Amino acid sequence: MSRPRILIVGAGFAGYRTARVLSRLTRHKADITLLNPTDYFLYLPLLPQVAAGVLEPRRVTVSLTGTLPRVRMVLGEADGIDLDARTVHYTGPEGDGGTLGYDRLVLAVGSVNKLLPVPGVAEYAHGFRGLPEALYLRDHVTRQVELAAATDDPKSCAARCTFVVVGAGYTGTEVAAQGKLFTDALVRKQPLYDGMRPRWLLLDVAPRVLPELDERLSRTADRVLRQRGVDVRTQTSVEEATPTGVRLSDGEFVDTRTLVWCVGVRPDPLVAGLDRPLEHGRLLVDPYLQVPGRPEVYACGDAAAVPDLDRPGQYTPMTAQHAWRHGRIAGRNVAASLGIGSRRAYHHRDLGFTVDLGGAKAAANPLGVPLSGPVAGAVTRGYHLAAMPANRVRVAADWLLDAVLPRQAVQLGLVRSWSVPLDTASPELARVPGAPAKHADRPEGAS
Ligand SMILES: Cc1cc2nc3c(=O)[nH]c(=O)nc-3n(C[C@H](O)[C@H](O)[C@H](O)COP(=O)(O)OP(=O)(O)OC[C@H]3O[C@@H](n4cnc5c(N)ncnc54)[C@H](O)[C@@H]3O)c2cc1C
C-alpha cells in the first residue's frame, strides 16, 4: 500500500512547525512535502535588526532541508488549488512548475502587505515583509546618509536624512526605533551639513503607538521613541507620496527619499480563491484547524481564522506566537487523522508580547507583567533566543559583537528597488529576478 501524502503549503511559523511535528510523529509512515518559495524559514520578529545592521541576514533564516528530516522540500509558489481533484499547482523559481497531489493538505501561506488606496504609495513606498526588503532598506538608509554627508545643499541633506515610517504596530515601531539608532551611529562617523541630525517620523492613524497591544507597552515604547528623538505622530497618516516626499494628513509636506510602509498585513489572497467561507480574508477553520466540509484540508497561521476558545465569537490574532502553536496542533491532528495519536482542539492563552526597541531597550509584558528598560531588553532577547528553532549561538554572537564593535556600514547593492515592490501579492509584479515593467525605469533610491 502506498503511503499517505501530506502536502504543506508555506514554511513560515505555522507550516514549518507543522512539518517538524509531522516529521517526528509519522517517521516513515507518510510522505511529507513542504512547498515554499524559499529554502528557509524566516524568523520575522528579528528582521528589523537585519535592516539596522545588527544581525547578519542568514542569522534569521533556518534551512528547511537542514532541519526537517524526512520532509521533501519543493521550491515554488502555489497558484491553484483543486479541492475536488486534491491537487495543488505551483510555479517554481525559474518559471517552471508542476502539480502536487495530496491526501492531507495544510495551508499555511501567511499574509501579505496591506495596501491602502493612497496616491503614490504603491510606487514610492517599500514594505517590510522579508529579507530582500530588510536588505534593501539597510542599503538604502546607508546610501541616504552617505549622500547627505557629501552634499553642501542643506535642503537635499535634510530630505535624504528624513525617514518616514507609516504604521506604528510592532513592525513599524521596531523599524523606526532600530533605524534611528542605526542612522545616529552612521552620522557619528560622517557628520552632516551644519551638524544636522537624522530625522525619523513614525505615523499612525491610531491614537497611540502599538495600538493592538496592551496600553502599558504603548506608553513604554512611546517614551523610548521620543527620548531617542523619533518624531511620533499619532492620528496622522500619508495622503500622497511623490518621488521627493510625502504629504501628511495634517497638511505638512515632508521632504524625504524614504517611505517605509508598515500599515499591517492581510491574509494571503490564495485562500480567498478556494470558494470556502472566509473571516476578514482568513480561511475559516474549526478548533481542530480543519476546513468545514473538507476534513482532509487544514489551515493555520495568519491565513486561517482559528476560533479563540477563550473569547467565544473571536479568532486568534495574527501573531507568530499563535502561528507557531497552530503548527503544533495542525501537525498532531494531521497525524491523528492517519491513526497516529489523538486530535486536539486549538487552545492557547497569550503569553504576552515583546517589542525590541534597540540598544538595551524594549517593552515587554511576559505573562502579563509589564516591563521596560534593560530588564525588558534582556527578557526580549532571551525570549527570541528560546523561540528561534536554530541559530541561537550565531544570533547571540552578533548581539555581543554589536555591543562592543561599531556597526559595519557598507552598501552591498544586492537588492534593487524594483525587485521589492510594495504590492507583492499582485500577479503583475514579479517576486523573482526580472524587473517588472512598471518599475523598470524608476531611478534607484527613489523609494
Ligand atoms: C517584520 C515583522 C515583524 C514581526 N514581529 C512579530 C513579533 O515580534 N511577534 C509576533 O508575534 N509576530 C510578529 N510578526 C507577525 C508574525 O511574523 C506572523 O504573525 C507570522 O509570521 C505568521 O506565521 P505564518 O506561518 O502564518 O506566516 P509566515 O511566517 O508569513 O509564513 C508564510 C510562508 O508561506 C509562504 N507562502 C506564501 N504564499 C505562498 C504560496 N502561494 N505558495 C507557497 N508558499 C507560500 C511564504 O513565503 C512564507 O514562507 C512580525 C511580522 C513581520 C513582517
Side-chain angles (χ1 to χ4, degrees):
M1 242 176 65
S2 62
R3 296 188 298 186
R5 298 160 304 165
I6 304 170
L7 174 59
I8 303 162
V9 184
F13 281 85
Y16 178 83
R17 185 99 191 267
T18 306
R20 212 166 77 157
V21 169
L22 280 167
S23 154
R24 183 172 48 81
L25 290 180
T26 63
R27 293 276 148 187
H28 295 285
K29 293 187 197 127
D31 287 332
I32 308 167
T33 301
L34 181 56
L35 174 65
N36 197 60
T38 61
D39 62 356
Y40 57 82
F41 155 73
L42 180 63
Y43 189 81
L44 278 162
L46 290 180
L47 208 54
Q49 300 196 21
V50 174
V54 178
L55 292 177
E56 284 305 314
R58 273 192 293 189
R59 306 292 186 254
V60 295
T61 65
V62 176
S63 158
L64 300 180
T65 47
T67 57
L68 294 173
R70 298 177 291 279
V71 175
R72 181 170 74 109
M73 181 187 71
V74 174
L75 281 180
E77 225 169 293
D79 47 24
I81 300 176
D82 186 333
L83 293 178
D84 293 326
R86 297 192 177 188
T87 56
V88 172
H89 184 270
Y90 69 95
T91 302
E94 298 186 348
D96 51 339
T99 302
L100 299 165
Y102 64 83
D103 298 301
R104 299 288 181 276
L105 174 66
V106 181
L107 292 171
V109 286
S111 44
V112 296
N113 288 321
K114 191 199 280 177
L115 293 175
L116 301 176
V118 179
V121 164
E123 288 82 10
Y124 301 113
H126 284 286
F128 200 76
R129 290 277 319 145
L131 265 184
E133 281 114 330
L135 290 176
Y136 171 75
L137 187 62
R138 190 178 74 178
D139 270 12
H140 173 82
V141 166
T142 307
R143 184 170 57 248
Q144 296 314 308
V145 173
E146 288 169 354
L147 292 173
T151 182
D152 294 331
D153 173 8
K155 198 166 152 36
S156 163
C157 180
R160 291 202 180 278
C161 266
T162 297
F163 305 92
V164 179
V165 180
V166 186
Y170 42 73
T171 304
T173 297
E174 289 192 6
V175 167
Q178 300 272 4
K180 182 71 168 70
L181 287 182
F182 183 40
T183 51
D184 282 352
L186 295 179
V187 165
R188 273 197 289 279
K189 287 195 231 146
Q190 311 168 68
L192 301 178
Y193 180 88
D194 204 20
M196 262 183 212
R197 309 288 312 156
R199 182 180 173 216
W200 283 77
L201 277 82
L202 177 62
L203 317 176
D204 203 300
V205 284
R208 60 184 174 100
V209 299
L210 302 176
E212 71 277 28
L213 300 183
D214 186 319
E215 276 197 43
R216 291 168 297 187
L217 292 189
S218 295
R219 282 199 292 274
T220 303
D222 192 271
R223 193 182 62 244
V224 171
L225 288 165
R226 288 179 197 276
Q227 279 170 354
R228 195 168 286 169
V230 175
D231 185 351
V232 179
R233 300 209 193 168
T234 51
Q235 295 177 309
T236 309
S237 191
V238 165
E239 290 208 328
E240 187 188 4
T242 74
T244 56
V246 291
R247 189 159 47 78
L248 307 186
S249 54
D250 60 14
E252 183 182 345
F253 188 87
V254 177
D255 290 330
T256 180
R257 301 288 182 273
T258 312
L259 178 58
V260 191
W261 198 249
C262 302
V263 297
V265 292
R266 63 191 168 97
D268 193 293
L270 182 75
V271 297
L274 288 177
D275 201 20
R276 309 303 303 173
L278 300 176
E279 173 63 39
H280 286 97
R282 302 167 83 186
L283 186 61
L284 200 61
V285 292
D286 65 18
Y288 298 94
L289 310 183
Q290 278 168 301
V291 175
R294 290 282 178 181
E296 74 284 7
V297 182
Y298 297 72
C300 48
D302 283 2
V306 178
D308 187 339
L309 297 181
D310 281 328
R311 299 179 302 160
Q314 298 196 44
Y315 298 91
T316 58
M318 293 160 83
T319 65
Q321 193 184 126
H322 280 287
W324 186 246
R325 288 176 171 83
H326 289 169
R328 176 161 173 262
I329 294 297
R332 290 179 71 125
N333 290 354
V334 168
S337 75
L338 301 174
I340 304 163
S342 52
R343 71 175 195 157
R344 281 198 190 170
Y346 180 75
H347 186 214
H348 167 69
R349 283 207 183 91
D350 268 337
L351 298 176
F353 215 88
T354 61
V355 183
D356 195 319
L357 300 170
K361 302 277 173 66
N365 62 349
L367 304 171
V369 181
L371 300 175
S372 59
V375 180
V379 167
T380 299
R381 293 198 164 185
Y383 168 79
H384 287 311
L385 288 183
M388 290 194 76
N391 292 355
R392 293 183 182 124
V393 175
R394 292 187 174 102
V395 168
D398 270 9
W399 283 339
L400 186 66
L401 290 175
D402 186 61
V404 294
L405 297 174
R407 280 185 207 173
Q408 273 186 298
V410 288
Q411 297 177 54
L412 296 179
L414 299 174
V415 183
R416 314 299 288 177
S417 174
W418 49 257
S419 67
V420 281
L422 182 61
D423 190 359
T424 48
S426 207
E428 78 272 16
L429 293 175
R431 290 193 194 186
V432 281
K438 198 170 159 185
H439 293 293
D441 54 358
R442 253 178 78 195
E444 177 62 20
S447 50

